Amino acid sequence: MNQVLNYQKYKKIAVMGGTFNPIHNGHLVAAEFVRQELGIERVIFIPTGNPPHKNTNPMYNEHRYLMTVLATVNNPHFEVSRLEIDRQGYTYTIDTITELKKRCSADCKIYFISGADAILQILQWKEPEKLLSMCEFVAVTRPGNNIKELEKTVSMLKDKYKGKITLIEIPALSISSTNIRHRILANKSIKYLLPSNVEDYIHKFSLYQAEDITSKEIEKIKGKLHSILTSKRYKHTLGVAQEALQLAKRYNVDTYKAYLAGLLHDCAKCYTNKEKLELCKKYNINLDKFLLENPELIHSFLGAKIAELEYNITDFDILNAIAYHTTGRENMSILEKIVFIADYIEPNRDYFDGLDKIRELAYKNINTAIIFALENTMKYLKNRNIKLHPLGKKALMYLKEEKNE
Ligand code: ATP
Ligand code: MG
């Protein structure tokens, strides 16, 4: 569908951008509140296409768009645009606003509504200075947000970039799309968190179920891995992805992300040590003395870079889960922990003493499982006169301290 919309008659419009995966009452309340406060004539919801910071399942693009249409249908001031959904490649806000400006009158004011969290990261967006000069930002805050830090960022953006940013506090609604997806997986009710027609749509198409872990993107990645890894390694890879998916369900983590991270964790295992060293040099990956002496650990750090460059993974959490899957590190994210332990316990792993215990612990208390796994590795290495990587030691200390707190 080629949608050409014209906004010439308006003097004040606002863009509400988001993945809307799915759209929920938090988004709607924020948009309606800001509209009233600032006297905005039209709020245009623009579901993202392929944002550089989020790996969303591409199969869901059309669903996300249609759910946004359903959610906004009863508000005469709201509409939905396909501007980003229909764009190929990565979508950047600056391109969207530029496109929108062409369809508005010269004196039309454009606002961009976003959560306070997004404002704190705005300097990481493409061409932030230009963006700040093209539209006014409205950051919706909720009681509980760190207002001090936010105000500091806002005044910095004002001083340094002449940006206009308004903070508006909206009623406390701690609804998030992530939480809604997790509730669906756990068979919990999502009633009243989003409009009932969106809820009906989700149920009608059985969205956000575990079986959704098939997509063109995943199939392409599998095909490539199948061709570069040995068949044993490929089987292990599928096992880790599957195990990561199960653990993600258990720990309320995005299952699609966990599956992707599991699938790609060993994507750099196909290289010889010599090739790994050459690639690290090429990509400026710093190797410490330990890694140079134990090159079998390099594939994790190199793998994160390969996943980014060759498999188009942009989500930092996925990339870190790949980078630290062998060593672990202090303060691991839950996704990092999941991939670390999935690698240890996946069903095709050769049996070793203690494997059953770690398998059981993984689903009871993932931190304890990692402590056991690291101690087990330490014992195994000691017999071979090898030390645990300093990152692993730190991870162990960190988890043990946390356990004793
Ligand atoms: P996810 O959990 O997948 O990150 P989300 O619920 O944050 O999803 P997005 O589509 O990422 O939804 O959000 C779009 C915009 O709406 C962002 O600027 C976000 O900060 C804001 N937003 C999300 N949830 C709320 C809410 N409950 N109240 C106010 N603003 C929200
Ligand atoms: Mg979000």
Side-chain angles (χ1 to χ4, degrees):
M1 192 179 13
N2 233 342
Q3 195 189 33
V4 181
L5 294 169
N6 195 323
Y7 305 107
Q8 293 291 338
K9 61 179 177 201
Y10 303 118
K11 294 281 173 270
K12 273 184 175 186
I13 63 170
V15 170
M16 175 85 197
T19 26
F20 304 131
N21 193 24
I23 189 163
H24 53 68
N25 288 341
H27 298 131
L28 295 164
V29 169
E32 181 65 358
F33 230 73
V34 172
R35 184 188 72 75
Q36 286 247 295
E37 286 301 302
L38 303 180
I40 288 163
E41 297 158 270
R42 209 90 184 142
V43 180
I44 308 162
F45 286 70
I46 311 190
T48 53
N50 184 10
H53 65 290
K54 274 191 177 177
N55 277 91
T56 45
N57 184 340
M59 275 212 319
Y60 272 68
N61 284 4
E62 212 53 41
H63 287 314
R64 290 190 291 110
Y65 169 73
L66 287 173
M67 286 188 284
T68 311
V69 171
L70 285 175
T72 52
V73 77
N74 59 4
N75 187 325
H77 308 287
F78 287 179
E79 67 179 67
V80 189
S81 161
R82 296 186 60 89
L83 212 63
E84 293 201 358
I85 287 278
D86 286 340
R87 200 183 296 142
Q88 298 293 317
Y90 286 154
T91 47
Y92 296 99
T93 304
I94 183 83
D95 303 329
T96 306
I97 300 292
T98 306
E99 196 56 41
L100 209 60
K101 254 197 171 344
K102 286 186 202 155
R103 300 172 194 194
C104 295
S105 70
D107 59 346
C108 179
K109 215 171 189 177
I110 302 181
Y111 293 89
F112 190 93
I113 308 172
S114 79
D117 46 331
I119 289 295
L120 293 174
Q121 287 168 10
I122 200 162
L123 292 179
Q124 290 160 31
W125 295 15
K126 188 180 161 194
E127 300 180 49
E129 199 169 348
K130 191 168 167 203
L131 189 60
L132 284 161
S133 74
M134 287 173 89
C135 53
E136 282 196 34
F137 278 76
V138 186
V140 295
T141 64
R142 297 174 240 172
N145 271 145
N146 186 343
I147 299 288
K148 280 234 164 73
E149 195 194 344
L150 206 62
E151 281 172 346
K152 225 166 72 192
T153 307
V154 167
S155 79
M156 184 274 289
L157 291 171
K158 270 187 190 153
D159 292 348
K160 206 165 162 195
Y161 299 96
K162 310 266 168 297
K164 272 202 159 172
I165 299 144
T166 313
L167 297 180
I168 294 186
E169 186 171 307
I170 58 161
L173 269 177
S174 61
I175 305 170
S176 78
S177 305
T178 305
N179 182 256
I180 290 177
R181 294 196 301 272
H182 292 159
R183 294 185 66 84
I184 295 169
L185 267 179
N187 266 327
K188 289 182 180 163
S189 161
I190 53 167
K191 233 181 224 330
Y192 314 123
L193 298 176
L194 32 63
S196 62
N197 57 355
V198 177
E199 188 192 346
D200 291 344
Y201 185 95
I202 290 174
H203 294 317
K204 177 169 176 177
F205 292 100
S206 305
L207 302 187
Y208 307 115
Q209 304 292 334
E211 301 83 75
D212 288 339
I213 312 298
T214 54
S215 72
K216 276 202 196 114
E217 186 187 21
I218 295 269
E219 289 316 309
K220 224 168 102 191
I221 292 175
K222 279 188 184 166
K224 187 163 170 178
L225 289 171
H226 191 42
S227 71
I228 59 168
L229 298 174
T230 62
S231 60
K232 187 164 182 227
R233 177 70 48 197
Y234 182 64
K235 201 170 158 202
H236 162 70
T237 287
L238 294 182
V240 173
Q242 199 53 39
E243 195 76 53
L245 166 67
Q246 296 306 329
L247 285 161
K249 277 201 244 173
R250 159 68 180 84
Y251 291 105
N252 276 350
V253 173
D254 192 316
T255 45
Y256 187 73
K257 276 207 225 178
Y259 192 85
L260 259 184
L263 207 53
L264 286 166
H265 82 290
D266 267 351
C267 69
K269 266 268 182 183
C270 54
Y271 302 111
T272 62
N273 284 345
K274 189 167 166 261
E275 286 169 331
K276 281 182 211 159
L277 290 171
E278 279 165 9
L279 284 166
C280 285
K281 205 166 168 194
K282 183 173 161 193
Y283 297 137
N284 280 327
I285 300 174
N286 258 333
L287 299 176
D288 57 31
K289 192 165 158 266
F290 196 102
L291 290 174
L292 289 170
E293 283 165 11
N294 300 277
E296 64 283 356
L297 294 178
I298 295 177
H299 75 279
S300 318
F301 302 100
L302 177 59
K305 196 73 200 167
I306 303 278
E308 183 189 344
L309 297 177
E310 291 186 20
Y311 295 85
N312 303 322
I313 302 298
T314 48
D315 184 293
F316 292 122
D317 205 14
I318 297 181
L319 295 174
N320 284 333
I322 299 170
Y324 297 102
H325 83 264
T326 338
T327 55
R329 64 164 169 170
E330 279 176 284
N331 202 6
M332 293 162 86
S333 74
I334 180 72
L335 187 70
E336 290 174 35
K337 290 178 184 172
I338 283 177
V339 175
F340 179 94
I341 213 70
D343 186 24
Y344 231 88
I345 63 168
E346 63 94 9
N348 309 304
R349 262 263 174 250
D350 288 337
Y351 189 79
F352 59 85
D353 225 18
L355 178 58
D356 288 337
K357 177 152 191 182
I358 299 173
R359 275 202 177 124
E360 195 192 321
L361 275 174
Y363 286 85
K364 275 192 185 149
N365 183 330
I366 198 160
N367 288 352
T368 317
I370 294 178
I371 292 176
F372 259 84
L374 281 167
E375 281 178 340
N376 190 74
T377 303
M378 217 152 68
K379 242 190 278 165
Y380 169 87
L381 293 175
K382 204 173 172 191
N383 289 338
R384 282 163 185 72
N385 245 339
I386 309 172
K387 285 202 178 104
L388 192 66
H389 189 280
L391 280 170
K393 273 193 203 154
K394 277 193 182 163
L396 198 53
M397 261 161 47
Y398 187 89
L399 288 169
K400 279 185 170 170
E401 261 170 39
E402 211 178 49
K403 201 176 157 192
N404 292 333
E405 263 166 20

